[in-house]
Amino acid sequence: EVIALANHNSGEGIEEILNYLKSKKTTNPNSIYTEKFIFPGTEVGGNDRCHILIIFNPETSDNKKFEFSQDGKTKLRELTWKEYIEKFLDEIKIPNPRFNNDQPANSSSLGAKEIITKSQDWDFVSVFPHIINEDGLWKELQESNKKEIYNNENFGIVDIPLTSSNQDLKRICEGKHSSWGTKGIAVINSSDSESLVNIGTKFSFIKCDPTIKGLKHLFIEPSDRVRTGQEPEIFNRVQLNRTKYLKNIIINPTQDYDGKYGKWFDSIEIPLNHELVAIIGNKGSGKSALAD
């Protein structure tokens, strides 16, 4: 339902994609053809070689407005995502040229911790990609640096291939490693696509609203809110509880026995959440009947 676009050292192409989607006009407000579900971003490297995905809030407003001078007058205008990301890259001190032969050429002069502390000012969520591979947090940083980032309030989402068998890392992410602490880390698995054909080859299923605010819930409840794989797994409470669950209730109205009242509403189907259902209504409105 949601994708993030994060080129290395660039915001190139994001506006073009958003404009194309806008041209696909649709009446469905939940369609992917609305920019609400495209998260603009960029991928950067710190001076510690650690890569970070910066996922900006697609609905940010004030942060995208900057003063600029024209004809001696100061005005406000909204930047394109490319301009906004360029300003962010300036902010985290990635020097030009940022590309050499179409490849990202420079890293930030700041470390990973310094970069992610800018998340509130720039309205983004940080994700640490491919952390067990080259240019990843787990391989590139010393243990003391890893622990410093681990304890930072802006660190809480990592990307790990499903094939990882590192038990130490697994316990750390679960908040069960004795020498690290009890902070849980959300583990996702992303496509990390370098070509169009690879987009959507890996998935992460997250229980949250499809917004940046929703993603931030992963910092609070990492283990309860995310699963990875081709198909969503049943979440913990259902998986561990062998009780049968109702997926939905279908109500088929019938006429009163003597036909006096007739059929007064169409058949309706009520989907039920597999973890929590709240039934609210006045006394005598049918709550107990529905539960029965």
Side-chain angles (χ1 to χ4, degrees):
E1 293 181 354
V2 171
I3 65 172
L5 305 174
N7 286 322
H8 275 276
N9 285 5
S10 172
E12 190 77 46
I14 293 174
E15 220 72 37
E16 289 83 349
I17 291 172
L18 294 178
N19 288 336
Y20 171 77
L21 294 179
K22 287 176 185 176
S23 73
K24 292 285 195 182
K25 295 187 185 297
T26 174
T27 56
N28 178 5
N30 296 316
S31 168
I32 192 66
Y33 290 120
T34 58
E35 61 180 284
K36 175 181 176 183
F37 301 111
I38 305 294
F39 288 7
T42 188
E43 184 170 0
V44 299
N47 63 11
D48 41 24
R49 287 180 53 85
C50 182
H51 281 194
I52 312 170
L53 293 176
I54 306 297
I55 310 300
F56 294 102
N57 182 356
E59 298 180 281
T60 192
S61 54
D62 292 343
N63 282 3
K64 282 187 68 182
K65 292 181 177 138
F66 286 84
E67 288 188 352
F68 76 107
S69 296
Q70 187 178 56
D71 301 328
K73 297 179 180 179
T74 300
K75 299 181 179 180
L76 279 177
R77 71 177 177 92
E78 189 168 21
L79 304 179
T80 65
W81 280 111
K82 180 180 177 181
E83 292 171 321
Y84 184 67
I85 290 170
E86 285 295 323
K87 281 190 171 287
F88 173 75
L89 297 176
D90 289 338
E91 171 75 11
I92 63 170
K93 299 178 169 43
I94 295 184
N96 285 306
R98 291 173 179 147
F99 282 84
N100 183 18
N101 294 326
D102 293 329
Q103 294 297 317
N106 282 308
S107 296
S108 170
S109 62
L110 306 180
K113 180 184 173 183
E114 294 173 283
I115 293 172
I116 64 176
T117 55
K118 297 182 180 294
S119 63
Q120 186 171 353
D121 290 341
W122 288 81
D123 204 5
F124 69 78
V125 168
S126 57
V127 177
F128 283 71
H130 49 76
I131 68 168
I132 62 174
N133 301 333
E134 187 177 352
D135 298 323
L137 175 144
W138 197 251
K139 183 171 183 179
E140 299 296 350
L141 271 64
Q142 299 295 322
E143 185 160 322
S144 59
N145 299 120
K146 294 176 195 173
K147 286 185 175 179
E148 192 176 30
I149 290 177
Y150 167 85
N151 288 308
N152 189 282
E153 63 180 356
N154 300 295
F155 174 76
I157 309 174
V158 298
D159 172 52
I160 303 178
L162 298 178
T163 54
S164 174
S165 58
N166 189 318
Q167 291 303 308
D168 266 356
L169 182 55
K170 182 179 179 182
R171 286 195 295 273
I172 291 168
C173 291
E174 290 175 349
K176 298 177 180 178
H177 198 289
S178 58
S179 65
W180 282 70
T182 58
K183 176 180 178 179
I185 304 299
V187 176
I188 67 169
N189 190 222
S190 69
S191 297
D192 197 12
S193 305
E194 295 185 1
S195 65
L196 287 173
V197 295
N198 291 325
I199 292 176
T201 55
K202 301 187 184 77
F203 298 89
S204 293
F205 299 89
I206 301 171
K207 290 197 296 184
C208 69
D209 290 331
T211 62
I212 286 291
K213 185 177 180 180
L215 275 183
K216 289 180 179 178
H217 280 296
L218 293 186
F219 288 75
I220 304 169
E221 299 174 308
S223 61
D224 290 342
R225 288 189 173 270
V226 62
R227 289 292 182 273
T228 56
Q230 288 300 110
E231 296 292 337
E233 296 178 19
I234 299 174
F235 284 84
N236 281 343
R237 295 186 187 89
V238 178
Q239 193 173 19
L240 297 177
N241 191 324
R242 301 305 178 190
T243 305
K244 299 291 186 182
Y245 282 80
L246 297 179
K247 293 174 65 177
N248 56 17
I249 291 175
I250 299 174
I251 301 175
N252 291 311
T254 58
Q255 290 188 340
D256 186 72
Y257 70 94
D258 62 359
K260 180 178 178 181
Y261 299 108
K263 183 177 176 181
W264 56 279
F265 64 89
D266 293 328
S267 175
I268 59 173
E269 181 176 331
I270 304 172
L272 302 178
N273 187 305
H274 61 249
E275 288 205 344
L276 173 67
V277 175
I279 303 172
I280 302 170
N282 294 327
K283 187 175 182 180
S285 62
K287 298 188 298 296
S288 297
L290 181 59
D292 290 342

